[in-house]
């Protein structure tokens, strides 16, 4: 196809004449007066001479959209340059056409500009266009696209965002209404190539628009991060908008500047969503005299229930702005936990009679051993074997202590103290009241120990005694 501008140039001779004629109409009086002066060649003849002179000049006015943008002496170079621009645009868009009205008209008397300067002017003034499409909002063209389907895809994608957002959040949802608040139209019309946008850019632009600044008053419990999240911006953006404000020192009632997106379009949607919600179980405590005070035993394990909640959501551009519960259906009832609470009060004062603190055989007696005094009685037992209090009393130590490893020390309130060393696990804590025979720890090999055993000590008035003399 012959580009439009070539057709324009083809009719040049005629247009040149037109411009010349117009120039002549505007200026002939002045020239005729000049020529008509006595001693000068008679007027009619002079006009003829002028016309002849005009034919000899090779200067061309370059006229873009009825504006003379310059004069050139090298018509060929300008035509060649136009061809170059045209090829360049057609390489990208086959149907590209120059959209300006371009004319070359014979000129004279106006100084010509350099060809390079003329080319720069043309590059700036001329535009190529294609048969494309626009998105118009409230009858104003906002974005230009290469074709109708791109423009339509952008609108469809923006609408789709609501569905995507819901699909991310809910297993079951049903969009009952989806409308664009603005009057949005997709229109097929010629557009300038320079104004074209791709689909992703268009979407961002329509949904973000120009950002606008609003004020935010800090209310109780609000943090910097929470304010940013509630406004749909990053904490760093909030910080940037509020230089000098310390994020950790927000005051209730303080005013913050918040720059929020100001979308060009608002997709309003209503959707019915169904989600399951956990119903936490309750715990019932039952007093039990067979357990010591402070002891607890779970009889029935609690189980959370499940509610199925259907709500009606209102969304704008995929963000939930309203929610109303429609129905709640109990799918699973929670199971109440039942926990026994001990009431038995431990006897604090010991009886002076000791039971064997663990089941096992004596591996090392009380007395001199390897030239050193062994203050305890070692009872060999496998790891995890129960250790019980030899008599009732109060736990005065429960923890790690040097060579003992994990140990428990019980004061029986009658001058006697017992110690239980090398434990693998401690089951009572300092201050606990224990009864004779009550489980307090488990056999192990912690501290200075070779193999699992219980190192058991008995002290009276702070002096170690041979434990074997107290065990029955
Ligand atoms: Zn020992």
């Amino acid at each position: 196809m012959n580009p439009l501008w070539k057709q324009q140039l083809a009719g040049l001779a005629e247009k040149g004449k037109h411009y010349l004629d117009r120039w002549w109409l505007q200026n002939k009086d002045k020239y005729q007066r000049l020529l008509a002066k006595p001693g000068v060649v008679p007027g009619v003849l002079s006009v003829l001479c002028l016309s002849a002179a005009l034919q000899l000049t090779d200067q061309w006015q370059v006229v873009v959209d009825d504006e003379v943008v310059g004069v050139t002496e090298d018509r060929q170079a300008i035509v060649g340059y136009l061809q170059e621009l045209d090829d360049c645009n057609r390489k990208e868009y086959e149907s590209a056409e120059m959209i300006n009205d371009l004319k070359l008209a014979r000129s004279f008397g106006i100084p010509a500009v350099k060809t390079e300067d003329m080319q720069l002017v043309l590059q700036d003034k001329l535009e190529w266009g294609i048969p494309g499409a626009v998105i118009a909002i409230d009858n104003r063209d906002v974005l230009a696209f290469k074709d109708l389907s791109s423009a339509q895809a952008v609108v469809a994608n923006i609408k789709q965002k609501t569905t995507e957002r819901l699909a991310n959040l809910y297993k079951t949802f049903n969009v009952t209404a989806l409308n664009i608040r603005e009057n949005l139209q997709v229109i097929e019309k010629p557009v300038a190539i320079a104004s074209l946008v791709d689909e992703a850019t268009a979407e961002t632009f329509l949904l973000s628009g120009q950002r606008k600044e609003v004020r935010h008053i800090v209310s109780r419990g609000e943090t910097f991060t929470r304010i940013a999240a509630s406004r749909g911006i990053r904490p760093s953006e909030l910080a940037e908008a509020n230089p000098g404000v310390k994020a950790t020192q927000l005051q209730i009632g303080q005013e913050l500047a918040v720059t929020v997106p100001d979308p060009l379009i608002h997709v309003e949607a209503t959707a019915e969503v169904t989600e399951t919600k956990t119903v936490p179980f309750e715990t019932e405590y039952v007093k039990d005299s067979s357990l010591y005070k402070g002891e607890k035993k779970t009889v029935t394990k609690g189980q959370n229930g499940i509610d199925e909640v259907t709500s009606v959501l209102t969304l704008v551009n995929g963000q939930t702005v309203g929610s109303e519960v429609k129905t709640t259906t109990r799918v699973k009832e929670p199971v109440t936990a039942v926990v026994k609470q001990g009431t038995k009060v431990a006897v604090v004062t010991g009886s002076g009679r000791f039971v064997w603190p663990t089941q096992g055989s004596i591996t090392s007696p009380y007395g001199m051993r390897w030239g050193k005094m062994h203050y305890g009685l070692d009872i060999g037992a496998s790891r995890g074997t129960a250790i019980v209090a030899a008599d009732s009393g109060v736990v005065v130590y429960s923890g790690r202590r040097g060579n003992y490893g994990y140990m428990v020390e019980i004061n029986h309130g009658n001058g006697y103290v017992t110690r239980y060393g090398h434990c693998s696990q401690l089951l009572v804590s300092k201050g606990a009241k224990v009864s004779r025979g009550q489980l307090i720890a488990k056999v192990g090999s912690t501290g200075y120990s070779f193999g699992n055993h219980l190192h058991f000590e008995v002290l009276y008035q702070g002096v170690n005694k041979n434990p074997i003399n107290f065990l029955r």
Side-chain angles (χ1 to χ4, degrees), residues 363-365 369 374-379 404 421-422 448 453-457:
T363 52
S364 189
R369 185 174 68 169
H374 180 231
Y375 289 106
L377 177 69
D378 287 355
I379 305 168
Y404 288 102
H422 309 314
Y448 188 74
H453 74 280
L454 168 66
H455 171 91
F456 176 59
E457 285 182 28

Coordinates of all heavy atoms in Angstrom, one line a residue, residues 363-365 369 374-379 404 421-422 448 453-457, ligand 1:
T363 N 24.5 -51.8 94.5 CA 25.7 -52.0 93.7 C 26.9 -51.4 94.4 O 28.0 -51.7 94.1 CB 25.5 -51.3 92.3 OG1 25.1 -49.9 92.5 CG2 24.5 -52.0 91.4
S364 N 26.7 -50.5 95.4 CA 27.8 -49.9 96.1 C 27.2 -49.5 97.5 O 26.3 -48.6 97.5 CB 28.4 -48.8 95.3 OG 29.6 -48.3 95.9
P365 N 27.8 -50.0 98.6 CA 27.2 -49.6 99.9 C 27.8 -48.2 100.4 O 28.7 -47.7 99.7 CB 27.7 -50.7 100.8 CG 29.0 -51.2 100.2 CD 28.9 -50.9 98.7
R369 N 35.4 -46.1 100.0 CA 35.4 -46.7 98.7 C 36.6 -46.1 97.9 O 36.6 -44.8 97.8 CB 34.1 -46.5 97.9 CG 34.0 -47.2 96.6 CD 32.6 -47.0 96.0 NE 32.4 -45.6 95.6 CZ 31.3 -45.3 94.8 NH1 30.4 -46.2 94.4 NH2 31.1 -44.0 94.5
H374 N 32.1 -42.7 100.6 CA 30.9 -42.7 99.7 C 29.7 -42.5 100.6 O 29.4 -43.4 101.4 CB 30.8 -44.1 99.0 CG 29.6 -44.2 98.1 ND1 28.8 -45.3 98.1 CD2 29.2 -43.4 97.1 CE1 27.8 -45.1 97.2 NE2 28.0 -43.9 96.6
Y375 N 29.1 -41.4 100.5 CA 28.1 -41.0 101.5 C 26.7 -41.6 101.2 O 25.7 -41.3 101.9 CB 28.0 -39.5 101.6 CG 29.2 -38.9 102.3 CD1 30.2 -38.2 101.6 CD2 29.3 -39.0 103.7 CE1 31.2 -37.6 102.3 CE2 30.4 -38.5 104.4 CZ 31.4 -37.8 103.7 OH 32.4 -37.3 104.3
G376 N 26.6 -42.3 100.1 CA 25.2 -42.8 99.7 C 25.2 -44.2 99.5 O 26.2 -45.0 99.7
L377 N 24.0 -44.7 99.2 CA 23.8 -46.1 98.9 C 23.4 -46.1 97.4 O 22.5 -45.4 97.0 CB 22.6 -46.6 99.8 CG 22.1 -48.0 99.5 CD1 23.2 -49.0 100.0 CD2 20.8 -48.3 100.3
D378 N 24.2 -46.9 96.6 CA 23.9 -47.0 95.2 C 23.0 -48.2 94.9 O 23.2 -49.3 95.3 CB 25.1 -47.2 94.4 CG 25.9 -45.8 94.3 OD1 25.4 -44.8 94.9 OD2 27.1 -45.9 93.8
I379 N 21.8 -47.9 94.3 CA 20.9 -49.0 94.0 C 20.8 -49.1 92.4 O 20.4 -48.1 91.8 CB 19.5 -48.7 94.5 CG1 19.6 -48.5 96.1 CG2 18.5 -49.8 94.2 CD1 18.3 -47.9 96.7
Y404 N 26.1 -35.0 91.5 CA 24.8 -35.7 91.6 C 24.1 -35.8 90.3 O 23.2 -36.6 90.1 CB 23.9 -34.9 92.6 CG 24.3 -35.0 94.1 CD1 25.0 -33.9 94.7 CD2 23.9 -36.1 94.8 CE1 25.3 -34.0 96.0 CE2 24.3 -36.2 96.2 CZ 25.0 -35.1 96.8 OH 25.3 -35.2 98.1
G421 N 20.1 -39.0 93.6 CA 21.0 -38.5 92.6 C 21.0 -39.3 91.3 O 20.5 -40.4 91.2
H422 N 21.7 -38.7 90.2 CA 21.9 -39.3 88.9 C 20.6 -39.5 88.1 O 20.6 -40.3 87.2 CB 22.7 -40.6 89.0 CG 23.9 -40.5 89.8 ND1 24.8 -39.5 89.7 CD2 24.4 -41.3 90.8 CE1 25.8 -39.7 90.5 NE2 25.6 -40.8 91.2
Y448 N 28.3 -37.4 88.0 CA 29.5 -38.3 88.0 C 29.0 -39.7 88.3 O 28.8 -40.2 89.4 CB 30.4 -37.9 89.2 CG 31.7 -38.6 89.2 CD1 32.7 -38.4 88.3 CD2 32.0 -39.6 90.2 CE1 33.9 -39.1 88.3 CE2 33.2 -40.3 90.2 CZ 34.1 -40.0 89.3 OH 35.3 -40.7 89.3
H453 N 21.9 -45.8 87.9 CA 21.6 -46.3 89.3 C 21.1 -45.0 90.1 O 21.2 -43.9 89.6 CB 22.9 -46.8 89.9 CG 23.9 -45.8 90.3 ND1 24.8 -45.3 89.3 CD2 24.3 -45.2 91.5 CE1 25.6 -44.4 89.9 NE2 25.3 -44.3 91.2
L454 N 20.6 -45.3 91.2 CA 20.1 -44.2 92.1 C 21.2 -44.1 93.3 O 21.5 -45.1 93.9 CB 18.8 -44.5 92.7 CG 18.3 -43.6 93.9 CD1 18.1 -42.2 93.4 CD2 17.0 -44.2 94.5
H455 N 21.7 -42.9 93.5 CA 22.5 -42.6 94.6 C 21.6 -42.0 95.7 O 21.1 -40.9 95.5 CB 23.7 -41.7 94.2 CG 24.5 -41.1 95.3 ND1 25.6 -41.8 95.7 CD2 24.3 -40.1 96.1 CE1 26.2 -41.1 96.7 NE2 25.4 -40.0 97.0
F456 N 21.4 -42.8 96.8 CA 20.5 -42.4 97.8 C 21.2 -42.0 99.1 O 22.0 -42.8 99.6 CB 19.5 -43.5 98.0 CG 18.5 -43.3 99.1 CD1 17.6 -42.2 99.1 CD2 18.4 -44.2 100.2 CE1 16.7 -42.1 100.1 CE2 17.5 -44.0 101.2 CZ 16.6 -42.9 101.1
E457 N 20.9 -40.8 99.6 CA 21.6 -40.4 100.9 C 20.5 -40.1 101.9 O 19.4 -39.6 101.6 CB 22.4 -39.1 100.6 CG 23.7 -39.3 99.9 CD 24.5 -38.0 99.7 OE1 24.4 -37.1 100.6 OE2 25.2 -37.9 98.7
Ligands
LIG1 ZN1 26.7 -43.3 95.0

